[in-house]
Amino acid sequence: MKPFIINFILLAMIGLTSCTPSSDEVVVYCTVDQVFSEPILRDFEKETGIEVKAVFDTEETKSTGVMNRLIAEKDNAQCDLFWSGDPLRNVVLQSKGISTPYQSAQTDLIPGHFREKDYHWTGFSARARVLIYNKNQISSDSLPQSILDLTQPRFKGQFTIANPLFGTTTFHMAALSTVMGQAPAKQWMNDLKKNQVVIASSNGDVKKRVMNGDLAFGLTDTDDAFEAKKESSDVDYIFLDQQEGGMGTLIMPNALSMIKDSPNGENGKKLMDYLLSRETEAKLAISCAQMPLIKGTEVPDIVPSLDHIIPMKIDYSQSAEILEQIQAWLKKWVEE
Amino acid sequence: MGGRVNQQLARYVPALLLALLLLGPILALLVRWLSSSDDIPLLAFINAGTLLLVGKSLLLSCIVAVLASLMGTICGFLLYRLKFPFRGFYKILLLLPLLVPPYIFAVAWKDGFQWLFSNSTVINPELGMIIVHTLVLFPLAMLITGTALSQIHSGLEEAGLMRVSFRKMLVKIVLPLIRPALTISFLLILIISLSDFSVPAFFGVNNFTTEIFTQFSAFYNHQLAISQSFLLVILCLILLLSENRYLSDAPFFSVHVKGSSTKHYSVHKGKTILHILLWILLLVVLVLPLVMLLHQALSGREILFSRAWELLSPTIYQSAKLAFLGALLISAIGFWVAFMKERSHFPHLNTMLLLTFIIPSTVLGVAVIKFYNHPSTNFIYTSILILLITYVSRFGFIAARIIGNGIKQVPVSLDEVSRVIGIPPIKRFFSISIPLLLPAIFTAFVLSFVLCLGELGTTIMIYPPGTELMPVKIFTIGANAPLALTSSMTLISFGVTMIFILLFFLMGKLIFKRFRYE
């Protein structure tokens, strides 16, 4: 008798939990911080009436949820649009045949090197890699001016970088290998180890250790630096390698990719057009100080303009390829 | 004849359905792994480096298991066998660390180290992991050994005390009697510590689980990560099989020990010292981490509790609804599985739940996605059914053991007598079995509710788009938000969990009173 009761309960629960999918919806997987991305998605909902169903993750949690989900869902895509905090993950999706090209009309406004040549991904609002420092631990005139200065003995044991196997630090190391060449970049990283660099678990951890005064300075992203400045008056940041002829600082745009054979492709395109607009860039500049890629976008005074920063000149897809080559070495570097 | 066929159908069809739903994803993943078209040999990933990492992980988790079992056994004896005021209060508070995700404690403790030593890096990462895992997992040992201690008949101890000292009686009688419980505590804690990645990853410990995680999330090498995961599962299975007889009967805890006569020792001298020791323990395992979180929440430039509430409040209803449905399903299935094991001598479903219980959460997530993400099963994959199935996989074993323990204490003769006098099966079920088992079912429900409410490892990989859940939101928002906001959100989540526990506690009091069995 009892099994019948269990069957009844099971059936009742199936009835209770199943939901009817709506056709006027779009599914977006997003690795950009939810506090900043969600309001923009809600605005899109209000303006278009299309329901946005989002899955959030974050680089700080290594984007494990979203990326592994996208890879595992390859044969039966559930996601329409992937919104990443940097183009590296979009390149991975492209290489695995998960993304599909889409040329938005908005793309014309965005400089050519911030998108993939076949439009597998398109960039917008960018962050940059910066050096965050604690003013109580080190004076601004003693700070390194180039990333290469981190190997100087006077900074021994005083600084931190996040684990280079994950997040934007991976991207940074790949970009350095692209600009400097793999052998010199590896030598530089080995010298960092000799100079007793502290490997933090994430950029957030870098921010925290510098804010707490555990360490004098560290490498992180502009959004973390802005948050740190909001939280503590002891913290400030600088852009490295800004001297004339310097290698420049790494600029990391958000990147959007349409997913192949997605269930709501047309709505996905509408959302992509919306996100690539000047208005979205202005909103992201206000909420998290991201730098617009579209010239002439209004931004608050505290947001640096890309016009005033010397960028690192890299090909993003090439950096992703180089990353694949150096990743095993990076793992060894971390573990040694 | 027809009735017998119907009986067999009623037994095997739901069993097969449950096996398909829960075991299907894991078997499919195993087949996929074994039949991989890669040219690399299947076991090529096993090399000196891998074995070294496995050894290191085992060593660290063994230390955690020994320390937590020792702490848990001492607490179990103090709280379950001594008679002194407020022991129920201590029991409940010392169980709370089990209900908070270990990651949260890791964050709080790291800041605790910073506060104590002015530098969080002074604590070695391995030591940090051992401390946090021990403090979070020792309540499990306390529950298991405490329950075992409660089931020792007083006559055995009294007989021993007539001839030997109290200490000798403990060593010669009590400890051998609770040996299965000690073994189970050790093994369960070893396995949970071995398969948790969040705490080692947070402290930067390089062990086997962080290696699996790295292969998943940095290299997106599912094949290797799954191979490594199966090695971990095989390792856990070997450990479990060695004590399978005890483990499949794991008591966890009895809600009401019926008909037993346990000896409780009065504490005359040393009551103050006992209270001081328990307060120190409470301070270390619960108060200090909570104070650290509160300190962080209030130390920002602005108080962010209202912002944290604004962010979390939309998730509370959805999370509670899902946890409620999950707990209902887990309790129902747990009851059925326990009944099949204890009364129908059909233990296979219990073994199946044990297997799904030890699968690492990320592997379970990938297995579930691969199995259910097909057009024909979209109705499961795109609804909360996918989460409910996962919850049963993860926590069904615990519920089945709690209820199974309750069933063991109900004399079979009651059912037999009622059958002989002709009470129909439905009436027997609702008038005899359910009232007698209600406390155990209710406890399984509450524990499942709390576990479902905080589950993160698999949920973050499979929650349907557009669903807002409390642990996921804390994890994703907390990653880059100000520390004060993250801590505020964690405290709110802890508070919400406590409110639900309190509500269930009050409901439980009513139910237990109504169905008290003396």
Side-chain angles (χ1 to χ4, degrees), chain A residues 33 68-69 73 224 233, chain B residues 114 222 301 373 381 461 480:
Chain A
D33 291 333
N68 282 311
R69 193 189 272 226
E73 287 177 352
D224 292 304
S233 51
Chain B
Q114 161 78 28
H222 284 193
R301 280 191 167 171
N373 183 28
Y381 187 69
M461 290 191 71
N480 206 22

Side-chain angles (χ1 to χ4, degrees), chain A residues 207-219:
Chain A
K207 176 185 85 173
K208 201 167 157 184
R209 287 177 191 234
V210 173
M211 269 173 61
N212 286 344
D214 284 358
L215 294 156
F217 59 88
L219 294 176

Side-chain angles (χ1 to χ4, degrees), chain B residues 132-143:
Chain B
V132 171
H133 269 176
T134 303
L135 295 181
V136 169
L137 295 174
F138 92 91
L140 191 63
M142 186 180 89
L143 271 179

Side-chain angles (χ1 to χ4, degrees), chain A residues 1-7 9-10 13-19 21 26-29 33-36 38-39 42 51-78 89 92 96 127 163 165-166 170 198-199 201-205 207-209 211-215 223-224 227-234 323-324 327-331 335, chain B residues 6 10-11 14 17-18 21 32 53 107 110-111 114 118-121 201-204 206 210-211 213-222 296 299-301 307 311 321 324-326 328-329 332-333 335-336 339-340 362 366 369-370 372-375 378-379 381-385 388 415 425-426 428-430 433 459-468 472-473 475-477 479-485:
Chain A
M1 197 67 227
K2 286 149 195 116
F4 289 118
I5 293 164
I6 303 295
N7 288 347
I9 293 170
L10 281 173
M13 293 190 76
I14 289 174
L16 269 172
T17 53
S18 297
C19 53
V26 59
V27 178
V28 57
Y29 288 4
D33 291 333
Q34 190 173 352
V35 264
F36 307 130
E38 196 173 20
R42 295 291 157 249
E51 186 188 359
V52 178
K53 290 189 166 179
V55 169
F56 293 100
D57 203 340
T58 160
E59 288 160 7
E60 301 288 311
T61 56
K62 328 299 181 199
S63 309
T64 316
V66 160
M67 280 304 284
N68 282 311
R69 193 189 272 226
L70 279 166
I71 294 166
E73 287 177 352
K74 184 184 173 187
D75 297 332
N76 185 35
Q78 300 289 338
R89 271 157 266 275
V92 173
K96 290 187 181 288
R127 293 172 296 163
N163 186 337
L165 285 172
F166 302 106
T170 315
V198 174
I199 302 172
S201 61
S202 63
N203 286 325
D205 194 22
K207 176 185 85 173
K208 201 167 157 184
R209 287 177 191 234
M211 269 173 61
N212 286 344
D214 284 358
L215 294 156
D223 54 342
D224 292 304
E227 281 300 323
K229 278 193 76 167
K230 271 192 222 167
E231 287 182 60
S232 167
S233 51
D234 296 337
L323 174 64
E324 268 191 47
Q327 215 168 12
W329 184 88
L330 285 176
K331 186 167 177 285
E335 289 168 358
Chain B
N6 280 345
R11 174 191 279 204
L17 180 68
L18 190 68
L21 288 173
R32 198 184 282 255
L53 270 186
V107 174
K110 199 164 185 181
D111 291 309
Q114 161 78 28
S118 304
N119 191 337
S120 60
T121 51
F202 184 76
F203 281 107
N206 181 29
T210 52
E211 167 69 19
F213 183 70
T214 304
Q215 290 303 335
F216 257 122
S217 53
F219 292 81
Y220 307 114
N221 189 344
H222 284 193
Q296 287 160 5
S299 61
R301 280 191 167 171
R307 174 83 181 117
L311 288 165
K321 185 183 93 176
F324 181 82
L325 287 172
L328 213 58
L329 191 63
I333 290 176
F335 175 79
W336 174 48
F339 196 89
M340 295 291 271
T362 318
V366 170
I369 294 174
K370 296 259 186 203
Y372 286 107
N373 183 28
H374 296 286
N378 259 0
F379 74 100
Y381 187 69
T382 57
S383 72
I384 58 172
L385 280 174
L388 296 179
D415 198 51
I426 291 187
R428 280 208 312 266
F429 179 69
F430 284 107
S433 302
T459 305
I460 198 167
M461 290 191 71
I462 57 166
Y463 74 96
T467 315
E468 289 208 289
V472 176
K473 198 151 188 179
F475 202 56
T476 53
I477 286 194
N480 206 22
L483 199 57
L485 182 64

Side-chain angles (χ1 to χ4, degrees), chain B residues 212-450:
Chain B
I212 294 173
F213 183 70
T214 304
Q215 290 303 335
F216 257 122
S217 53
F219 292 81
Y220 307 114
N221 189 344
H222 284 193
Q223 182 67 15
L224 180 56
I226 289 165
S227 305
Q228 291 174 331
S229 300
F230 276 120
L231 183 64
L232 189 69
V233 171
I234 290 165
L235 200 69
C236 292
L237 273 178
I238 291 169
L239 290 168
L240 290 176
L241 286 177
S242 63
E243 293 292 337
N244 180 44
R245 188 162 55 90
Y246 298 132
L247 195 81
S248 62
D249 286 333
F252 284 101
F253 63 103
S254 300
V255 176
H256 193 186
V257 183
K258 298 178 183 73
S260 79
S261 153
T262 311
K263 188 172 173 62
H264 285 95
Y265 299 95
S266 299
V267 183
H268 300 298
K269 280 184 255 174
K271 212 181 269 182
T272 316
I273 295 175
L274 188 62
H275 281 293
I276 291 172
L277 282 176
L278 286 169
W279 267 107
I280 291 174
L281 190 63
L282 268 180
L283 198 74
V284 172
V285 303
L286 190 68
V287 180
L288 204 59
L290 285 179
V291 167
M292 284 323 305
L293 287 173
L294 195 64
H295 169 73
Q296 287 160 5
L298 301 175
S299 61
R301 280 191 167 171
E302 49 183 327
I303 307 296
L304 293 170
F305 270 107
S306 60
R307 174 83 181 117
W309 174 252
E310 197 183 306
L311 288 165
L312 269 191
S313 53
T315 68
I316 293 173
Y317 171 70
Q318 179 82 311
S319 301
K321 185 183 93 176
L322 198 61
F324 181 82
L325 287 172
L328 213 58
L329 191 63
I330 290 169
S331 309
I333 290 176
F335 175 79
W336 174 48
V337 170
F339 196 89
M340 295 291 271
K341 180 177 187 298
E342 304 299 340
R343 291 288 193 259
S344 301
H345 308 290
F346 189 77
H348 311 298
L349 291 174
N350 187 65
T351 311
M352 181 186 78
L353 288 183
L354 175 61
L355 187 70
T356 57
F357 174 67
I358 60 166
I359 298 285
S361 54
T362 318
V363 180
L364 187 64
V366 170
V368 164
I369 294 174
K370 296 259 186 203
F371 189 72
Y372 286 107
N373 183 28
H374 296 286
S376 56
T377 47
N378 259 0
F379 74 100
I380 294 178
Y381 187 69
T382 57
S383 72
I384 58 172
L385 280 174
I386 191 80
L387 286 169
L388 296 179
I389 289 170
T390 308
Y391 291 161
V392 176
S393 298
R394 297 221 62 200
F395 310 125
F397 177 70
I398 295 174
R401 289 327 316 137
I402 292 171
I403 299 169
N405 213 35
I407 293 175
K408 271 185 187 166
Q409 292 173 37
V410 177
V412 186
S413 54
L414 288 178
D415 198 51
E416 286 168 351
V417 167
S418 55
R419 195 181 304 168
V420 169
I421 59 174
I423 298 175
I426 291 187
K427 200 165 182 191
R428 280 208 312 266
F429 179 69
F430 284 107
S431 304
I432 299 174
S433 302
I434 287 285
L436 287 173
L437 290 173
L438 207 56
I441 296 171
F442 184 74
T443 309
F445 172 83
V446 174
L447 194 61
S448 305
F449 178 89
V450 173

